Amino acid sequence: MKMFSVGIDIGGTNTAIGIVDEAGNVVVKGGIDTPSHGDAERYVKEMGASVKDMAKKLKLTNPDSEILGIGIGAPNGNYYSGTIEYAPNLSFKGIVHLVELMRAEFPEYQYVALTNDANAAAIGEMVYGGAKGMKNFVMYTLGTGVGSGVVVNGDLVYGHDGFAGECGHTTLIPGGRVCGCGAHGHLEAYCSAPGMKRTAFELLAYYNASDSLLADKSFNELSSKMIYEAAVKGDKVALEVFEKTGQYLGQGLADTVHHLSPEAIFLFGGPTAAGDYIFKPLRESLEAHLLPIFKNKIKILPSELSAGDAAIVGASALVWKEQDK
């Protein structure tokens, strides 16, 4: 009997769904729109129908297959309660009892588990990726925001209420930029993709750099990929964006090291594709901010999860983690 798990990643616009084998390969892939209608029960029915259709496809190619369970990554997903709580970018208001609703759809599955998307990525790295065999590490996800998942002694840290590990909301610069959460100066306001755009516009204004490759871009048009492409061409502003972002991130990661002393910190997300443009200043900044007892000990590594399927694979890994308990 071949064992599989279902991974579901709930985003603000799309819900990605995949069936994953024990090696982390996505064998069936699909998804649905994340609705704007705000009816959670109707949404779970739609999601359940998609999973059931994909399970039928799996049986056609793997007649001896069995699906062990469903893992779900979602904004503000609470592992302990199985609920999504007041997610700002979803249409479902208040507290949604997602695991309870999914169990009603799939009583035959042994496990249904939920956590937030960054925690799911950390578990995916531990089960399938570069953190195999590691007992103490941290995963940072760099995208629209800055998320993180913390693993200590082989277990994800959820805290007393299920919401531990919000390292992206460490205060980096008191009174600094407004973060997406409404507070000031958080790491996320500087090291997310929108944070990099803000840095670019600050530098364009500071240098009055009308000759920069970024100078004619609007804020909505500009992306971290465009900044990278300009940096490759030697653009002064773009290169400094990566330098500053690496410095900010190194400072924030130093706090994480001082709190947790992890073996490694993994980075996942669009900006990490820039390679040494961000990793070099990041490592230099990290070492500059560390206590001597931590210097030259901490590995800073890119995630080994496939970018296209990472969210699905990470969520599916929740099932194998549940099985190990």
Side-chain angles (χ1 to χ4, degrees):
M1 183 71 69
K2 292 180 182 175
M3 305 304 294
F4 295 83
S5 64
V6 177
I8 299 176
D9 175 60
I10 299 175
T13 306
N14 300 302
T15 297
I17 304 170
I19 299 178
V20 183
D21 67 17
E22 289 182 88
N25 301 305
V26 180
V27 295
V28 186
K29 190 174 179 180
I32 61 172
D33 292 337
T34 303
S36 58
H37 55 58
D39 185 335
E41 292 190 16
R42 180 175 148 199
Y43 170 55
V44 169
K45 290 281 185 190
E46 293 166 359
M47 195 159 45
S50 182
V51 171
K52 288 168 186 173
D53 181 58
M54 292 167 67
K56 287 177 185 174
K57 290 178 182 174
L58 176 70
K59 275 292 183 187
L60 291 175
T61 54
N62 294 272
D64 62 340
S65 63
E66 181 182 340
I67 293 176
L68 196 61
I70 299 173
I72 307 164
N76 290 21
N78 189 321
Y79 172 78
Y80 288 147
S81 61
T83 54
I84 295 176
E85 303 185 17
Y86 307 100
N89 60 342
L90 299 179
S91 64
F92 315 112
K93 303 306 177 189
I95 297 174
V96 178
H97 296 272
L98 191 70
V99 167
E100 184 182 306
L101 292 169
M102 287 296 283
R103 284 192 186 282
E105 287 290 309
F106 297 96
E108 70 274 23
Y109 289 175
Q110 290 186 50
Y111 307 104
V112 179
L114 165 75
T115 191
N116 75 37
D117 35 9
N119 285 342
I123 293 173
E125 201 70 48
M126 181 165 48
V127 173
Y128 304 119
K132 276 184 183 176
M134 287 188 189
K135 296 292 186 184
N136 296 275
F137 72 94
V138 180
M139 164 72 91
Y140 269 81
T141 58
L142 309 178
T144 306
V146 175
S148 56
V150 176
V151 173
V152 173
N153 297 332
D155 287 314
L156 204 74
V157 175
Y158 287 108
H160 82 280
D161 59 355
F163 291 117
E166 289 290 352
C167 299
H169 295 282
T170 302
T171 299
L172 189 73
I173 299 173
R177 294 175 184 169
V178 177
C179 181
C181 69
H184 286 261
H186 286 180
L187 184 68
E188 181 174 296
Y190 295 87
C191 299
S192 61
M196 291 179 69
K197 289 166 60 172
R198 290 164 81 173
T199 300
F201 276 86
E202 286 174 4
L203 290 171
L204 286 167
Y206 180 79
Y207 289 119
N208 192 22
S210 58
D211 58 342
S212 169
L213 295 170
L214 307 178
D216 63 344
K217 308 295 182 190
S218 71
F219 187 83
N220 289 336
E221 182 186 1
L222 188 64
S223 67
S224 57
K225 185 169 183 275
M226 288 178 187
I227 298 170
Y228 168 68
E229 288 168 349
V232 171
K233 293 174 182 174
D235 185 85
K236 176 183 174 182
V237 169
L239 288 167
E240 192 164 338
V241 170
F242 280 106
E243 188 73 24
K244 282 188 171 293
T245 303
Q247 289 170 0
Y248 291 139
L249 196 52
Q251 183 182 338
L253 265 56
D255 288 343
T256 300
V257 171
H258 291 149
H259 295 157
L260 299 166
S261 187
E263 178 180 347
I265 297 175
F266 289 87
L267 299 183
F268 176 83
T272 64
D276 278 348
Y277 285 108
I278 194 164
F279 279 93
K280 187 173 183 290
L282 159 57
R283 291 186 175 111
E284 290 172 354
S285 175
L286 173 69
E287 294 299 330
H289 286 96
L290 286 177
L291 285 168
I293 54 171
F294 295 113
K295 286 183 183 292
N296 302 309
K297 284 184 180 178
I298 314 301
K299 291 178 271 194
I300 305 296
L301 301 169
S303 169
E304 291 186 13
L305 298 179
S306 166
D309 295 328
I312 291 171
V313 167
S316 76
L318 273 169
V319 174
W320 312 120
K321 191 68 178 162
E322 290 295 294
Q323 188 186 30
D324 288 342
K325 289 188 174 179

